[in-house]
Amino acid sequence: MQDSPRLFIDSATIAPLAEGATLDLAPGHARYLGTVLRLGPEAPVRIFNERDGEWSGVLTAIRKDRGTLRVTHQTRMPMATTGPILVFAPLKRDATDLVIRMGTELGVSRFMPVTTARTNTHRVNTTRWHAIAVEAAEQCERLDVPVIDELRALSAVVSAWPSAGTLYAAVERHRVATPTARQRQVGGGDGLLIGPEGGFSPEETQWLLTQDRIEALSLGTLILRADTAACAGLAYLTLHRESSVETE
């Protein structure tokens, strides 16, 4: 069953899943299962969302862009991903797509795109980003899809950051952040801030380091691409969180 296709079904579009229920497939899902994978009736399929968890089912009919699935049983209970929020300046299209995919796989709970002095694009396609996040969630076995916010100014996001949380800012060649008790529970109000291609301006860096909600995080002595920095920073926070939990 683990090799069966795994599809995200938006909880807003269906009633709560239950054993024996029949589900009409969206046209895109039907085309994928029938045309791409060439599956037929009785083929096993897994479906999931943040409200219902993960369920097994079998196809009962499939034809072009139409199909139905019979829900059989629940395999995993609902469980929210409690990873950090990723605050980032939008990059060129392929690089941003990579950030969304890797971030989803690394447990990001929310993406918050921001404008900075050196942001090279002020147009974002959150619909496209959501589709990429869905595909990544289907692949990596998580049970939810991260929230994707509309574009906001960096200053507005930092100023509104919860006082109980920490925003770890990846600042080039700066001191390594000292792990804190709050970092053991990365999620909720904690996040990672990644700058644009070209990095933060000197004025932005100076301002960030004066903010109570910000803690500088060094990713080493080398200058990383922004998409690489996002991956490295998220991996750092995830590794520290897991090692802290193991030693408690």
Side-chain angles (χ1 to χ4, degrees), residues 87 112-114 152-162 167 213:
V87 182
M112 300 182 71
V114 295
R152 298 172 62 193
L154 173 62
S155 58
V157 170
V158 172
S159 297
W161 202 262
L167 181 57
R213 302 170 178 84

Side-chain angles (χ1 to χ4, degrees), residues 191-204:
L192 173 68
L193 170 61
I194 299 294
E197 292 149 337
F200 297 112
S201 70
E203 294 78 14
E204 284 174 328

Side-chain angles (χ1 to χ4, degrees), residues 24-236:
D24 291 325
L25 296 173
H29 285 160
R31 284 191 294 268
Y32 172 68
L33 296 175
T35 304
V36 178
L37 299 184
R38 298 183 180 279
L39 299 180
E42 299 304 316
V45 177
R46 290 180 291 160
I47 56 178
F48 73 96
N49 60 47
E50 75 291 340
R51 182 192 66 195
D52 302 307
E54 183 176 274
W55 290 70
S56 289
V58 294
L59 290 177
T60 53
I62 190 76
R63 182 178 180 183
K64 293 184 179 180
D65 60 352
R66 300 169 62 183
T68 55
L69 177 145
R70 184 179 72 255
V71 180
T72 57
H73 62 281
Q74 188 178 50
T75 55
R76 296 169 64 190
M77 295 290 290
M79 182 176 65
T81 302
T82 58
I85 298 167
L86 180 61
V87 182
F88 71 104
L91 311 170
K92 295 177 182 178
R93 174 167 164 157
D94 289 348
T96 299
D97 290 354
L98 187 62
V99 168
I100 299 296
R101 180 178 63 79
M102 291 191 303
T104 301
E105 294 178 2
L106 288 168
V108 167
S109 59
R110 189 180 204 100
F111 291 97
M112 300 182 71
V114 295
T115 56
T116 68
R118 294 173 178 169
T119 299
N120 60 18
T121 179
H122 290 75
R123 299 179 63 185
V124 300
N125 188 339
T126 55
T127 300
R128 173 181 171 79
W129 292 357
H130 176 73
I132 293 170
V134 166
E135 290 182 0
E138 291 173 340
Q139 183 275 326
C140 74
E141 302 281 334
R142 67 184 283 174
L143 292 174
D144 58 358
V145 174
V147 176
I148 300 178
D149 289 354
E150 295 293 337
L151 189 67
R152 298 172 62 193
L154 173 62
S155 58
V157 170
V158 172
S159 297
W161 202 262
S163 58
T166 299
L167 181 57
Y168 296 92
V171 181
E172 296 170 350
R173 298 194 179 100
H174 199 75
R175 65 179 179 84
V176 176
T178 302
T180 65
R182 284 182 297 181
Q183 198 173 4
R184 297 183 180 183
Q185 298 295 329
V186 175
D190 291 321
L192 173 68
L193 170 61
I194 299 294
E197 292 149 337
F200 297 112
S201 70
E203 294 78 14
E204 284 174 328
T205 299
Q206 183 178 11
W207 178 76
L208 286 170
L209 296 178
T210 64
Q211 302 303 301
D212 292 338
R213 302 170 178 84
I214 297 290
E215 185 169 345
L217 176 68
S218 173
L219 298 178
T221 58
L222 300 179
I223 302 300
L224 305 180
R225 285 170 50 105
D227 50 346
T228 304
C231 183
L234 290 170
Y236 174 88

